[in-house]
Amino acid sequence: MRNAIVLAAGKGTRMKSDQSKVMHTIIDRPMLAYIIDALKAVNVQRIVVIVGYQAETIKAYFKDVEFALQEPQLGTGHAVMQATQLKDEEGETIIINGDGPCIQKETLEKLFEMNKDASCTLLTSVLEDGKHYGRIVRNEDGNVTGIVEAKDCTEEQLKICEINAGMYCFKNRDLFDNLDKLETNNAQKEYYLTDMVKILASQGKKVNGYIIEDRDEVMGINDCVELNVAYSWMRDRINLNLMKNGVQIVDPKRTVIGKDVVIGHDVVIHPNTEILGNTVIGNHVEILGGSYIKDSTIQEGSIVDFSKVVNSTVEANSTVGPLSYVLNDEKIR
């Protein structure tokens, strides 16, 4: 059984927005949607999203996951305590922050695989300057024995370059059997989920640390500057994969394509173009600059010239535009 708990209760005050941080859009969906999509891609059966600020808005958008309310918000450990619907489940449970949309399904799969012979596997990263991140403490065998939050680190511990990336995979029963051992004897007076590592290690249980190669994949978003960094990372990754598969994107920095878009071969996409949602682009199509396409099908051999096409079909060997607006199931012949 594969489960997941997504921590999404905070407001994200540094966004300076009335909107919940996890509902801010990257390309064509809220950042939280990327995380849920990745979890589903590795066959997670139960996904529990921990909500707090603007809980009803998040619930209204995500219809096919479960929720638990964290009110008040007393730390990451306290957030996990609210997911009581999972306490009797067997198998593995991934815990992930809701503000890390760049995580890939391959990394989640690796976490699940590495935790088969362990009580917990945590994702880590190596930074020259660990800044405000928790530091990873290992024993002589390389197993993790604890995570020390930056605010609680000694001078020596602050020199550690391996940091906590904020993602964990637990044996579900080990997790819920030990949550009541978490305490608030720290600088923030909160229940730290990171303390669970020390608790399990002290019981002689194995804790793995998996160092991720691409640190950007686990970037957290705290303000609009970091939101833009994640947007650019996502755009570049999607465009690179498409180009490797034979799509000619004339200027990838000025082309935005959603992750669910399907594009055939011998397609040319010109700059200042957005292609979003559940769009399918057939073979030998040319999308000229300034076009916007969403939730549409552009069939083989067609040209879209500086036009907007939404929820519609452009039939084979047709031309749309310039300056056309096609909306809601119109068919262009």
Side-chain angles (χ1 to χ4, degrees):
M1 180 80 173
R2 289 183 170 185
N3 315 291
I5 300 172
V6 185
L7 309 184
K11 177 180 180 180
T13 55
R14 281 182 279 175
M15 299 296 294
K16 295 181 170 39
S17 170
D18 293 333
Q19 187 178 40
S20 167
K21 175 169 68 171
V22 300
M23 293 301 291
H24 279 75
T25 299
I26 297 178
I27 301 181
D28 59 1
R29 68 200 69 198
M31 68 171 82
L32 180 57
Y34 288 95
I35 296 165
I36 292 174
D37 287 348
L39 290 167
K40 290 178 179 178
V42 292
N43 301 313
V44 174
Q45 288 101 322
R46 297 188 70 179
I47 301 172
V48 179
V49 179
I50 309 299
V51 292
Y53 181 71
Q54 291 193 349
E56 295 308 313
T57 300
I58 298 172
K59 288 180 180 180
Y61 190 95
F62 297 98
K63 303 289 190 182
D64 54 352
V65 299
E66 303 174 53
F67 296 94
L69 181 67
Q70 185 189 19
E71 194 71 44
Q73 293 161 28
L74 303 175
T76 51
H78 180 256
V80 175
M81 292 175 189
Q82 311 315 307
T84 54
Q85 60 263 63
L86 294 181
K87 65 182 178 66
D88 295 323
E89 291 287 0
E90 300 293 337
E92 326 286 327
T93 297
I94 275 185
I95 301 175
I96 183 171
N97 291 321
D99 64 355
C102 297
I103 194 67
Q104 299 297 299
K105 63 182 181 180
E106 293 82 6
T107 300
L108 296 176
E109 184 64 38
K110 182 71 172 178
L111 272 177
F112 277 122
E113 290 298 319
M114 285 190 66
N115 206 54
K116 285 182 176 179
D117 67 343
S119 177
C120 172
T121 299
L122 55 139
L123 200 61
T124 74
S125 181
V126 175
L127 301 176
E128 290 183 10
D129 180 2
K131 297 182 181 178
H132 58 277
Y133 296 102
R135 302 313 201 266
I136 303 300
V137 179
R138 295 179 182 259
N139 61 19
E140 60 276 6
D141 297 323
N143 293 326
V144 178
T145 58
I147 306 171
V148 183
E149 296 294 331
K151 294 175 182 177
D152 301 311
C153 279
T154 65
E155 287 296 319
E156 198 62 30
Q157 288 170 335
L158 285 172
K159 297 176 183 177
I160 296 173
C161 294
E162 187 179 7
I163 59 96
N164 177 28
M167 191 181 309
Y168 317 83
C169 185
F170 287 93
K171 287 286 187 292
N172 193 67
R173 299 308 294 267
D174 285 347
L175 173 64
F176 281 94
D177 287 350
N178 287 284
L179 279 174
D180 60 354
K181 297 180 176 63
L182 295 177
E183 299 177 347
T184 58
N185 54 346
N186 53 67
Q188 296 296 101
K189 303 300 180 185
E190 293 182 345
Y191 295 97
Y192 287 161
L193 182 63
T194 50
D195 290 343
M196 188 64 67
V197 171
K198 184 176 181 180
I199 290 168
L200 295 176
S202 69
Q203 297 173 1
K205 298 181 185 293
K206 184 178 180 181
V207 179
N208 290 326
Y210 167 39
I211 301 175
I212 193 166
E213 292 183 12
D214 185 352
R215 296 196 298 266
D216 288 340
E217 190 182 329
V218 291
M219 72 175 82
I221 296 173
N222 294 296
D223 57 31
C224 288
V225 175
E226 293 174 345
L227 183 68
N228 178 256
V229 172
Y231 179 100
S232 298
W233 186 93
M234 198 88 68
R235 177 203 63 206
D236 293 347
R237 186 181 182 91
I238 292 169
N239 288 350
L240 179 63
N241 287 336
L242 288 169
M243 289 187 292
K244 286 180 176 178
N245 284 299
V247 178
Q248 182 183 347
I249 302 176
V250 176
D251 188 344
K253 296 296 182 184
R254 291 192 290 153
T255 303
V256 179
I257 302 174
K259 76 177 190 67
D260 294 330
V261 173
V262 177
I263 303 179
H265 61 79
D266 294 295
V267 172
V268 181
I269 302 173
H270 293 268
N272 302 318
T273 295
E274 289 188 75
I275 307 174
L276 309 175
N278 295 312
T279 293
V280 178
I281 308 291
N283 303 328
H284 303 282
V285 166
E286 187 167 14
I287 311 296
L288 296 178
S291 294
Y292 177 95
I293 303 169
K294 184 176 182 181
D295 295 328
S296 295
T297 299
I298 313 299
Q299 294 183 353
E300 183 168 346
S302 295
I303 297 173
V304 178
D305 184 358
F306 193 23
S307 295
K308 187 171 187 177
V309 182
V310 179
N311 195 29
S312 298
T313 298
V314 175
E315 295 192 350
N317 303 308
S318 302
T319 298
V320 178
L323 296 174
S324 293
Y325 184 14
V326 185
L327 177 65
N328 292 336
D329 289 327
E330 291 186 50
K331 291 189 177 180
I332 301 300
R333 295 176 174 85

